[in-house]
Amino acid sequence: MYEYEVFLSYKRGKIREEWLHEIFKPLFEMQLEESLGHRCNIFIDQKTIPPGVDWPDYLSEALSKSKCLVAILSPSYFGSEWCMKEFNAMHYRQTELRKKRYWPRSILLSFRS
C-alpha cells in the first residue's frame, strides 16, 4: 500500500537544503532504519522527482503513498502554499483514518535559521 515510510516536507532554501541533505537525512535515515529494522524509503522532492514530470501531481501521489509526513519547520514553512498543501493533505488523511482507528503520523521538527 505504501511506497514511502516518510514524506519529508520542508520550505526550500539553500541553507535548509544543505542541512537537510548533508546532516538531517543521513542521521534520520540511520535512526529510522535502526528503529524499524529495515531499509526505509524516504521521499524528498528534489532527489525523488524525475525531470520533466508534472511535479504537483507527482508530489500529491507521493504524499498519498507515504506512511507519514515529517515536517521540517522553519520561519517560512507555514507561509509556503506548497508546504501547507502537503501538511493539510496529511492532516486530513490522518483525521479521516483516525475514525477507522488507523492513521498515519505527522511529525513536526523545528528549524531556526
Side-chain angles (χ1 to χ4, degrees):
M1 178 177 182
Y2 294 110
E3 185 176 335
Y4 305 101
E5 272 78 21
V6 174
F7 182 104
L8 282 178
S9 176
Y10 66 100
K11 174 68 173 119
R12 287 185 174 193
K14 185 174 176 20
I15 294 172
R16 282 182 291 279
E17 289 174 31
E18 289 174 2
W19 174 82
L20 179 75
H21 295 292
E22 295 174 16
I23 298 170
F24 176 77
K25 185 182 179 277
L27 294 173
F28 177 69
E29 195 168 37
M30 181 180 68
Q31 185 65 41
L32 187 62
E33 290 175 2
E34 185 177 302
S35 296
L36 297 177
H38 61 84
R39 187 180 178 286
C40 296
N41 199 9
I42 298 173
F43 181 88
I44 300 178
D45 63 352
Q46 285 188 312
K47 300 291 183 186
T48 313
I49 299 177
V53 288
D54 183 15
W55 62 269
D57 289 342
Y58 199 91
L59 281 176
S60 180
E61 185 176 339
L63 189 57
S64 72
K65 293 179 178 180
S66 299
K67 287 183 183 178
C68 75
L69 175 130
V70 172
I72 309 293
L73 301 182
S74 63
S76 56
Y77 182 88
F78 287 100
S80 165
E81 179 183 351
W82 285 106
C83 290
M84 292 313 303
K85 284 181 180 184
E86 294 165 2
F87 185 86
N88 288 329
M90 185 60 82
H91 184 264
Y92 174 79
R93 188 174 93 184
Q94 181 174 343
T95 301
E96 291 301 305
L97 291 175
R98 184 177 294 144
K99 295 173 187 174
K100 299 174 185 172
R101 298 207 175 261
Y102 175 79
W103 62 90
R105 307 283 187 208
S106 296
I107 301 167
L108 305 175
L109 300 171
S110 180
F111 176 80
R112 296 180 189 253
S113 54

